[in-house]
Amino acid sequence: MSRVLGGTLERVCKAVLLLCLLHFLVAVILYFDVYAQHLAFFSRFSARGPTRALHPAASSSTNCSRPNATAPSSGLPEVPSVRPGPTAPVLPPCPDSPPGLVGRLLIEFTSPMPLERVQRENPGVLLGGRYTPPDCTPAQTVAVIIPFRHREHHLRYWLHYLHPILRRQRLRYGIYVINQHGEDTFNRAKLLNVGFLEALKEDAAYDCFIFSDVDLVPMDDRNLYRCGDQPRHFAIAMDKFGFRLPYAGYFGGVSGLSKAQFLRINGFPNEYWGWGGEDDDIFNRISLTGMKISRPDIRIGRYRMIKHDRDKHNEPNPQRFTKIQNTKLTMKRDGIGSVRYQVLEVSRQPLFTNITVDIGRPPSWPPRG
């Protein structure tokens, strides 16, 4: 009996011993497995430290152990890659016929027109009177040039009507008011030459120039302020002329020329002091260079003029008729290449850029009669 119990006890002890040995082996295996994982984890950080440069081979083997890792070819520190930022969306070209045009407009000059109101009406216009359509890319960059002196009342109405019109026409544009300093005789064409040069100084991308009197407002927004293959006369039907051209060669009020066309005629004449004559000289220059004037349909080329008293310093030039007859002789020496002036102030207002200039004084004219 005792022998049987002793044999049983011996087998139990052997079984317990085998279980203990098995437990020990499992513990050892788990220990080395965890140790290996910890070693691999810390080796990642050591590979980024100074030892990487000292031991490039070891560093390479460590990096290649990670998924999608690449081994550097030298021991130099790895330059972090730069992720490309979001690119601006490519806008489509602006349509030739903008879809938001209204057509015939009701133009009146009786309501009060403070500049603060005009500014609220045009929140998309940037400082200096610059605007770019947010939803398309215009084919041209347009500078609108206004010869100016003592017409603040007219300018407010002009800005009130023209900014919305130009925005609906999907134009990229800037407004430049060229203010003649002093009280000497007014010189419209010379101020337009100044505006051409000063606008290009601010933005060399201007390739279309619209020259507009401050007292003329278009009555139809389908009269697109763009430049074409030929010089453009926009104001072909003013109310003061009974909505028709006063004569066939009339080129006054509002006109447009591309940069190349303007330079081809040597700009505008600088010697027309006082009212009248410069627009006829410009017409002659265009004809002499072989270009032809394009005009809109008379139904959309109507303009309303803001009434005003004539400036006593803008009396008719008594020599204008003689000058007009000599355009062929004078256009090469008198123009954009010979204009002289001094910029006194450049002020970028919320709705326009004001450039005050000294353009000199007119020559003394012989007494009439």
Side-chain angles (χ1 to χ4, degrees):
M1 183 67 181
S2 60
R3 184 179 294 179
V4 174
L5 291 174
T8 302
L9 182 61
E10 183 181 359
R11 286 192 297 272
V12 171
C13 290
K14 288 180 179 180
V16 171
L17 181 62
L18 289 173
L19 287 174
C20 290
L21 181 61
L22 181 62
H23 177 75
F24 176 76
L25 291 174
V26 172
V28 170
I29 293 172
L30 291 176
Y31 173 79
F32 280 107
D33 183 63
V34 172
Y35 177 78
Q37 293 181 12
H38 281 228
L39 183 62
F41 176 77
F42 287 107
S43 66
R44 298 177 186 178
F45 292 95
S46 63
R48 301 176 188 175
T51 58
R52 179 183 181 134
L54 298 175
H55 305 286
S59 173
S60 298
S61 63
T62 304
N63 281 342
C64 289
S65 67
R66 290 179 288 160
N68 302 324
T70 56
S73 59
S74 68
L76 297 176
E78 193 175 341
V79 179
S81 61
V82 179
R83 295 183 178 179
T87 58
V90 178
L91 298 177
C94 292
D96 291 335
S97 299
L101 298 181
V102 177
R104 292 291 296 273
L105 304 171
L106 176 63
I107 307 296
E108 57 89 17
F109 307 117
T110 57
S111 302
M113 195 56 61
L115 280 177
E116 294 76 12
R117 171 185 169 182
V118 183
Q119 188 174 350
R120 289 195 304 269
E121 294 170 344
N122 298 278
V125 177
L126 303 180
L127 187 67
R130 301 294 299 269
Y131 178 79
T132 300
D135 55 352
C136 63
T137 302
Q140 299 176 343
T141 302
V142 181
V144 183
I145 312 297
I146 302 174
F148 185 84
R149 186 172 63 182
H150 305 326
R151 296 287 181 86
E152 288 78 8
H153 175 70
H154 298 165
L155 180 61
R156 290 195 292 268
Y157 283 109
W158 191 96
L159 294 168
H160 166 68
Y161 286 112
L162 265 295
H163 268 304
I165 289 175
L166 300 178
R167 289 192 293 110
R168 289 196 299 270
Q169 292 181 358
R170 296 293 196 275
L171 298 181
R172 177 170 53 223
Y173 67 88
I175 306 295
Y176 296 88
V177 175
I178 313 302
N179 179 38
Q180 180 174 332
H181 174 72
E183 299 297 330
D184 285 311
T185 304
F186 195 69
N187 190 323
R188 176 180 180 269
K190 190 172 184 178
L191 291 173
L192 296 179
N193 280 339
V194 172
F196 175 86
L197 294 174
E198 291 301 312
L200 284 174
K201 287 181 182 178
E202 181 174 274
D203 190 346
Y206 284 124
D207 51 6
C208 176
F209 295 83
I210 307 298
F211 304 98
S212 174
D213 290 346
V214 72
D215 56 0
L216 287 175
V217 174
M219 301 176 65
D220 197 309
D221 60 2
R222 293 171 295 179
N223 193 0
L224 302 178
Y225 275 28
R226 299 174 182 168
C227 294
D229 296 335
Q230 302 293 333
R232 183 85 164 169
H233 185 213
F234 297 97
I236 63 169
M238 300 183 198
D239 56 351
K240 76 168 186 175
F241 296 134
F243 293 111
R244 61 180 182 270
L245 279 176
Y247 51 91
Y250 181 70
F251 196 68
V254 185
S255 57
L257 292 88
S258 70
K259 180 180 177 181
Q261 293 163 0
F262 189 86
L263 294 176
R264 185 175 174 181
I265 66 172
N266 192 24
F268 297 159
N270 298 304
E271 299 179 357
Y272 283 83
W273 297 87
W275 176 83
E278 81 287 342
D279 47 353
D280 297 309
D281 192 297
I282 297 168
F283 179 88
N284 291 343
R285 290 173 181 236
I286 294 172
S287 300
L288 288 169
T289 53
M291 294 186 288
K292 297 185 180 298
I293 294 173
S294 66
R295 294 185 173 97
D297 187 282
I298 195 168
R299 291 170 295 181
I300 65 173
R302 295 180 170 222
Y303 279 75
R304 191 168 295 282
M305 174 176 280
I306 308 173
K307 294 182 180 180
H308 56 84
D309 296 329
R310 182 175 296 280
D311 185 352
K312 65 179 180 179
H313 299 292
N314 194 24
E315 293 299 322
N317 183 338
Q319 296 184 343
R320 64 187 186 278
F321 298 111
T322 302
K323 290 180 178 294
I324 294 170
Q325 296 172 3
N326 294 317
T327 304
K328 187 175 183 179
L329 301 176
T330 60
M331 66 176 293
K332 290 185 177 180
R333 64 170 178 82
D334 177 24
I336 194 65
S338 62
V339 62
R340 299 291 181 267
Y341 65 95
Q342 180 182 2
V343 176
L344 303 180
E345 182 185 15
V346 177
S347 176
R348 291 175 177 82
Q349 303 294 326
L351 298 168
F352 62 95
T353 296
N354 183 84
I355 302 177
T356 300
V357 293
D358 181 358
I359 59 172
R361 305 184 66 178
S364 299
W365 293 325
R368 299 177 65 180

